[in-house]
Short mmCIF file of all heavy atoms in Angstrom, two decimals:
data_model
loop_
_atom_site.label_atom_id
_atom_site.label_comp_id
_atom_site.label_asym_id
_atom_site.label_seq_id
_atom_site.Cartn_x
_atom_site.Cartn_y
_atom_site.Cartn_z
N GLU C 58 -28.51 -18.83 53.25
CA GLU C 58 -28.91 -18.25 51.96
C GLU C 58 -29.42 -19.30 50.97
O GLU C 58 -29.96 -18.95 49.93
CB GLU C 58 -27.71 -17.53 51.32
CG GLU C 58 -27.43 -16.16 51.89
CD GLU C 58 -26.27 -15.48 51.14
OE1 GLU C 58 -25.63 -16.11 50.29
OE2 GLU C 58 -26.02 -14.30 51.45
N ILE C 59 -29.21 -20.56 51.27
CA ILE C 59 -29.47 -21.59 50.26
C ILE C 59 -30.94 -21.63 49.79
O ILE C 59 -31.19 -21.66 48.59
CB ILE C 59 -28.95 -22.97 50.74
CG1 ILE C 59 -27.41 -22.92 50.76
CG2 ILE C 59 -29.41 -24.09 49.80
CD1 ILE C 59 -26.74 -24.18 51.27
N PRO C 60 -31.91 -21.58 50.71
CA PRO C 60 -33.30 -21.61 50.22
C PRO C 60 -33.61 -20.45 49.26
O PRO C 60 -34.25 -20.65 48.22
CB PRO C 60 -34.12 -21.49 51.50
CG PRO C 60 -33.22 -22.03 52.59
CD PRO C 60 -31.85 -21.62 52.20
N LEU C 61 -33.12 -19.25 49.58
CA LEU C 61 -33.32 -18.09 48.68
C LEU C 61 -32.62 -18.32 47.36
O LEU C 61 -33.12 -17.96 46.29
CB LEU C 61 -32.70 -16.85 49.31
CG LEU C 61 -33.56 -15.94 50.16
CD1 LEU C 61 -32.71 -14.80 50.67
CD2 LEU C 61 -34.74 -15.41 49.34
N SER C 62 -31.44 -18.88 47.44
CA SER C 62 -30.62 -19.10 46.26
C SER C 62 -31.30 -20.11 45.33
O SER C 62 -31.29 -19.95 44.11
CB SER C 62 -29.25 -19.60 46.71
OG SER C 62 -28.44 -19.84 45.61
N ILE C 63 -31.92 -21.12 45.93
CA ILE C 63 -32.61 -22.14 45.12
C ILE C 63 -33.85 -21.52 44.47
O ILE C 63 -34.13 -21.73 43.29
CB ILE C 63 -32.97 -23.36 45.98
CG1 ILE C 63 -31.68 -24.10 46.37
CG2 ILE C 63 -33.92 -24.30 45.22
CD1 ILE C 63 -31.88 -25.24 47.35
N ARG C 64 -34.56 -20.69 45.26
CA ARG C 64 -35.74 -20.02 44.70
C ARG C 64 -35.33 -19.14 43.51
O ARG C 64 -36.01 -19.06 42.51
CB ARG C 64 -36.40 -19.17 45.79
CG ARG C 64 -37.70 -18.53 45.36
CD ARG C 64 -38.48 -18.11 46.58
NE ARG C 64 -39.76 -17.50 46.25
CZ ARG C 64 -40.68 -17.21 47.16
NH1 ARG C 64 -40.45 -17.47 48.45
NH2 ARG C 64 -41.82 -16.65 46.82
N SER C 65 -34.19 -18.49 43.66
CA SER C 65 -33.66 -17.67 42.56
C SER C 65 -33.32 -18.52 41.35
O SER C 65 -33.63 -18.17 40.21
CB SER C 65 -32.40 -16.94 43.01
OG SER C 65 -32.73 -15.73 43.61
N MET C 66 -32.66 -19.63 41.62
CA MET C 66 -32.21 -20.48 40.51
C MET C 66 -33.40 -20.93 39.66
O MET C 66 -33.31 -20.97 38.43
CB MET C 66 -31.49 -21.71 41.10
CG MET C 66 -30.41 -22.24 40.21
SD MET C 66 -29.11 -21.02 39.95
CE MET C 66 -28.82 -21.32 38.23
N ASP C 67 -34.51 -21.26 40.34
CA ASP C 67 -35.70 -21.67 39.59
C ASP C 67 -36.15 -20.55 38.66
O ASP C 67 -36.61 -20.80 37.54
CB ASP C 67 -36.83 -22.05 40.55
CG ASP C 67 -36.49 -23.32 41.34
OD1 ASP C 67 -35.59 -24.07 40.88
OD2 ASP C 67 -37.10 -23.54 42.41
N ILE C 68 -36.01 -19.30 39.12
CA ILE C 68 -36.41 -18.17 38.26
C ILE C 68 -35.39 -17.97 37.15
O ILE C 68 -35.74 -17.76 35.99
CB ILE C 68 -36.57 -16.88 39.10
CG1 ILE C 68 -37.63 -17.08 40.18
CG2 ILE C 68 -36.93 -15.70 38.18
CD1 ILE C 68 -37.84 -15.88 41.09
N TRP C 69 -34.10 -18.04 37.51
CA TRP C 69 -33.05 -17.86 36.49
C TRP C 69 -33.26 -18.80 35.30
O TRP C 69 -33.07 -18.44 34.16
CB TRP C 69 -31.65 -18.14 37.10
CG TRP C 69 -31.05 -16.95 37.79
CD1 TRP C 69 -30.86 -16.79 39.13
CD2 TRP C 69 -30.55 -15.75 37.19
NE1 TRP C 69 -30.29 -15.58 39.40
CE2 TRP C 69 -30.09 -14.92 38.22
CE3 TRP C 69 -30.47 -15.29 35.87
CZ2 TRP C 69 -29.53 -13.66 37.99
CZ3 TRP C 69 -29.92 -14.04 35.64
CH2 TRP C 69 -29.46 -13.24 36.68
N GLU C 70 -33.65 -20.03 35.61
CA GLU C 70 -33.77 -21.01 34.53
C GLU C 70 -34.93 -20.71 33.59
O GLU C 70 -35.00 -21.24 32.49
CB GLU C 70 -33.85 -22.42 35.11
CG GLU C 70 -32.47 -22.86 35.61
CD GLU C 70 -32.46 -24.18 36.36
OE1 GLU C 70 -33.54 -24.60 36.82
OE2 GLU C 70 -31.37 -24.76 36.49
N LYS C 71 -35.85 -19.83 34.04
CA LYS C 71 -36.96 -19.44 33.15
C LYS C 71 -36.97 -17.92 32.99
O LYS C 71 -38.03 -17.31 32.87
CB LYS C 71 -38.28 -19.92 33.75
CG LYS C 71 -38.39 -21.45 33.70
CD LYS C 71 -39.75 -21.93 34.18
CE LYS C 71 -39.87 -21.83 35.65
NZ LYS C 71 -40.25 -22.67 36.59
N ILE C 72 -35.77 -17.33 33.01
CA ILE C 72 -35.68 -15.87 33.08
C ILE C 72 -36.35 -15.21 31.88
O ILE C 72 -36.97 -14.16 31.99
CB ILE C 72 -34.20 -15.44 33.25
CG1 ILE C 72 -34.10 -14.02 33.80
CG2 ILE C 72 -33.42 -15.54 31.97
CD1 ILE C 72 -34.17 -13.93 35.28
N GLN C 73 -36.23 -15.85 30.72
CA GLN C 73 -36.83 -15.31 29.50
C GLN C 73 -38.34 -15.12 29.66
O GLN C 73 -38.89 -14.10 29.25
CB GLN C 73 -36.52 -16.25 28.32
CG GLN C 73 -37.19 -15.89 27.00
CD GLN C 73 -36.41 -14.85 26.21
OE1 GLN C 73 -35.18 -14.87 26.16
NE2 GLN C 73 -37.13 -13.92 25.59
N ASP C 74 -38.99 -16.08 30.30
CA ASP C 74 -40.44 -15.98 30.49
C ASP C 74 -40.81 -14.80 31.38
O ASP C 74 -41.85 -14.18 31.21
CB ASP C 74 -41.00 -17.26 31.14
CG ASP C 74 -40.72 -18.48 30.28
OD1 ASP C 74 -40.39 -18.29 29.09
OD2 ASP C 74 -40.82 -19.61 30.81
N LEU C 75 -39.96 -14.52 32.35
CA LEU C 75 -40.29 -13.46 33.30
C LEU C 75 -40.04 -12.07 32.73
O LEU C 75 -40.86 -11.18 32.88
CB LEU C 75 -39.47 -13.64 34.59
CG LEU C 75 -39.72 -12.61 35.69
CD1 LEU C 75 -41.14 -12.76 36.24
CD2 LEU C 75 -38.70 -12.75 36.81
N VAL C 76 -38.89 -11.87 32.09
CA VAL C 76 -38.52 -10.50 31.69
C VAL C 76 -38.39 -10.33 30.17
O VAL C 76 -38.02 -9.26 29.70
CB VAL C 76 -37.21 -10.03 32.38
CG1 VAL C 76 -37.42 -9.93 33.88
CG2 VAL C 76 -36.04 -10.95 32.06
N GLU C 77 -38.72 -11.37 29.42
CA GLU C 77 -38.63 -11.33 27.95
C GLU C 77 -37.25 -10.89 27.46
O GLU C 77 -37.11 -10.04 26.58
CB GLU C 77 -39.73 -10.42 27.37
CG GLU C 77 -41.12 -11.00 27.58
CD GLU C 77 -42.23 -10.13 27.04
OE1 GLU C 77 -41.95 -9.27 26.17
OE2 GLU C 77 -43.37 -10.30 27.49
N ASP C 78 -36.23 -11.45 28.09
CA ASP C 78 -34.84 -11.15 27.74
C ASP C 78 -34.05 -12.33 28.28
O ASP C 78 -34.33 -12.79 29.39
CB ASP C 78 -34.42 -9.85 28.43
CG ASP C 78 -33.08 -9.30 27.94
OD1 ASP C 78 -32.10 -10.09 27.84
OD2 ASP C 78 -33.00 -8.09 27.70
N ASP C 79 -33.08 -12.82 27.51
CA ASP C 79 -32.35 -13.99 28.04
C ASP C 79 -31.31 -13.60 29.09
O ASP C 79 -30.72 -14.47 29.73
CB ASP C 79 -31.71 -14.80 26.90
CG ASP C 79 -30.61 -14.04 26.17
OD1 ASP C 79 -30.15 -12.99 26.69
OD2 ASP C 79 -30.20 -14.47 25.08
N CYS C 80 -31.12 -12.30 29.27
CA CYS C 80 -30.20 -11.78 30.29
C CYS C 80 -28.78 -12.32 30.11
O CYS C 80 -27.97 -12.24 31.02
CB CYS C 80 -30.70 -12.08 31.70
SG CYS C 80 -32.28 -11.31 32.06
N GLY C 81 -28.49 -12.89 28.97
CA GLY C 81 -27.16 -13.44 28.72
C GLY C 81 -26.85 -14.63 29.62
O GLY C 81 -25.69 -14.99 29.82
N PHE C 82 -27.90 -15.27 30.17
CA PHE C 82 -27.69 -16.35 31.15
C PHE C 82 -27.26 -17.65 30.46
O PHE C 82 -27.87 -18.08 29.50
CB PHE C 82 -28.98 -16.58 31.94
CG PHE C 82 -28.91 -17.76 32.89
CD1 PHE C 82 -28.00 -17.76 33.93
CD2 PHE C 82 -29.74 -18.85 32.71
CE1 PHE C 82 -27.92 -18.84 34.80
CE2 PHE C 82 -29.66 -19.94 33.58
CZ PHE C 82 -28.75 -19.93 34.62
N ASP C 83 -26.18 -18.24 30.96
CA ASP C 83 -25.84 -19.60 30.52
C ASP C 83 -25.58 -20.42 31.76
O ASP C 83 -25.22 -19.89 32.81
CB ASP C 83 -24.62 -19.61 29.58
CG ASP C 83 -23.33 -19.23 30.27
OD1 ASP C 83 -23.06 -19.72 31.39
OD2 ASP C 83 -22.56 -18.43 29.70
N SER C 84 -25.80 -21.75 31.68
CA SER C 84 -25.54 -22.55 32.87
C SER C 84 -24.58 -23.67 32.54
O SER C 84 -24.96 -24.80 32.31
CB SER C 84 -26.85 -23.08 33.46
OG SER C 84 -27.49 -23.93 32.55
N HIS C 85 -23.32 -23.29 32.49
CA HIS C 85 -22.26 -24.27 32.28
C HIS C 85 -21.68 -24.74 33.60
O HIS C 85 -20.61 -25.34 33.64
CB HIS C 85 -21.16 -23.69 31.41
CG HIS C 85 -21.61 -23.37 30.00
ND1 HIS C 85 -22.13 -24.32 29.17
CD2 HIS C 85 -21.64 -22.21 29.31
CE1 HIS C 85 -22.46 -23.77 28.01
NE2 HIS C 85 -22.17 -22.48 28.08
N GLY C 86 -22.35 -24.40 34.71
CA GLY C 86 -21.88 -24.84 36.02
C GLY C 86 -20.84 -23.92 36.63
O GLY C 86 -20.27 -23.06 35.95
N GLN C 87 -20.64 -24.09 37.92
CA GLN C 87 -19.54 -23.41 38.61
C GLN C 87 -18.74 -24.48 39.34
O GLN C 87 -19.32 -25.39 39.94
CB GLN C 87 -20.06 -22.37 39.60
CG GLN C 87 -20.73 -21.19 38.91
CD GLN C 87 -20.41 -19.85 39.58
OE1 GLN C 87 -19.57 -19.77 40.49
NE2 GLN C 87 -21.07 -18.80 39.13
N VAL C 88 -17.42 -24.33 39.27
CA VAL C 88 -16.54 -25.34 39.85
C VAL C 88 -15.62 -24.68 40.88
O VAL C 88 -14.98 -23.68 40.59
CB VAL C 88 -15.67 -26.01 38.77
CG1 VAL C 88 -14.75 -27.05 39.40
CG2 VAL C 88 -16.53 -26.65 37.70
N LEU C 89 -15.61 -25.26 42.07
CA LEU C 89 -14.67 -24.83 43.09
C LEU C 89 -13.47 -25.77 43.01
O LEU C 89 -13.63 -26.99 43.16
CB LEU C 89 -15.33 -24.92 44.47
CG LEU C 89 -14.43 -24.72 45.67
CD1 LEU C 89 -13.95 -23.29 45.75
CD2 LEU C 89 -15.17 -25.10 46.96
N VAL C 90 -12.30 -25.23 42.76
CA VAL C 90 -11.11 -26.06 42.56
C VAL C 90 -10.31 -26.14 43.86
O VAL C 90 -10.03 -25.12 44.48
CB VAL C 90 -10.23 -25.49 41.44
CG1 VAL C 90 -8.94 -26.29 41.29
CG2 VAL C 90 -10.99 -25.46 40.12
N ALA C 91 -9.96 -27.33 44.25
CA ALA C 91 -9.03 -27.50 45.37
C ALA C 91 -7.62 -27.55 44.81
O ALA C 91 -7.35 -28.31 43.89
CB ALA C 91 -9.34 -28.79 46.12
N GLU C 92 -6.74 -26.71 45.35
CA GLU C 92 -5.38 -26.69 44.82
C GLU C 92 -4.53 -27.82 45.39
O GLU C 92 -3.53 -28.18 44.80
CB GLU C 92 -4.72 -25.33 45.10
CG GLU C 92 -5.28 -24.22 44.21
CD GLU C 92 -4.40 -22.99 44.21
OE1 GLU C 92 -3.36 -23.01 43.52
OE2 GLU C 92 -4.74 -22.01 44.89
N ASP C 93 -4.92 -28.31 46.56
CA ASP C 93 -4.22 -29.47 47.11
C ASP C 93 -5.15 -30.25 48.04
O ASP C 93 -6.28 -29.86 48.28
CB ASP C 93 -2.94 -29.04 47.85
CG ASP C 93 -3.24 -28.00 48.91
OD1 ASP C 93 -4.29 -28.10 49.57
OD2 ASP C 93 -2.43 -27.06 49.05
#
Side-chain angles (χ1 to χ4, degrees):
Chain C
E58 281 183 353
I59 291 177
L61 267 179
S62 179
I63 291 174
R64 185 162 181 172
S65 273
M66 211 62 220
D67 293 340
I68 301 178
W69 275 110
E70 286 173 341
K71 291 185 286 229
I72 200 85
Q73 175 84 39
D74 300 344
L75 181 67
V76 295
E77 293 179 20
D78 190 313
D79 66 13
C80 298
F82 174 63
D83 68 45
S84 62
H85 295 301
Q87 292 219 7
V88 179
L89 171 68
V90 176
E92 287 195 77
D93 54 38

